[in-house]
């Protein structure tokens, strides 16, 4: 899976609400049928946080807790919206080229 794919999957599942890494990967598995490898998942989280597309949730982690709960930012939502709209246009064009009427 490409790093941008992993980042879009993370943004997609975080659009529904804050989650920690394991829960993010579980939601991705429910959506796609496969989990991301640890390097793909935590690399995507790191890149998204660096770009300020996600951030730690307002609720502080318990002392000694190893995971952080992350949430999507407004900039992350806007990027996700734009990317999904572009993907929808490409998908519709591809389906038309195959002779399938997109819904």
């Amino acid at each position: 899976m490409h790093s941008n794919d992993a980042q879009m999957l993370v943004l997609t599942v975080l659009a529904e609400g804050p989650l920690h890494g394991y829960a993010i990967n579980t939601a991705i598995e429910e959506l796609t049928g496969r989990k991301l490898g640890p390097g793909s998942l935590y690399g995507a989280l790191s890149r998204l946080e660096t770009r300020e597309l996600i951030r730690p949730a307002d609720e502080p982690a318990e002392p000694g807790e190893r995971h952080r709960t992350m949430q999507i930012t407004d900039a992350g939502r806007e990027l996700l919206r734009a990317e999904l709209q572009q993907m929808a246009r490409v998908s519709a064009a591809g389906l038309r080229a195959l002779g399938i009427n997109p819904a």
Side-chain angles (χ1 to χ4, degrees), residues 6-95:
Q7 291 176 58
M8 288 300 107
L9 288 170
V10 169
L11 289 175
T12 297
V13 299
L14 286 178
E16 293 189 35
L19 297 168
H20 59 78
Y22 181 82
I24 291 169
N25 217 4
T26 299
I28 289 171
E29 182 179 26
E30 290 173 3
L31 182 64
T32 66
R34 4 183 323 218
K35 284 187 176 185
L36 297 177
S40 295
L41 175 62
Y42 291 103
L45 289 169
S46 177
R47 286 186 294 278
L48 290 168
E49 188 173 9
T50 297
R51 294 171 58 201
E52 298 182 352
L53 300 173
I54 64 171
R55 65 178 177 83
D58 293 334
E59 62 224 32
E62 295 293 321
E65 238 183 305
R66 291 180 34 190
H67 60 69
R68 291 188 311 164
T69 300
M70 302 301 287
Q71 65 185 31
I72 193 169
T73 64
D74 289 341
R77 284 185 184 282
E78 179 56 29
L79 176 70
L80 179 61
R81 182 201 57 75
E83 290 289 329
L84 291 174
Q85 287 178 328
Q86 180 179 358
M87 288 170 58
R89 286 190 301 273
V90 170
S91 176
L95 290 169

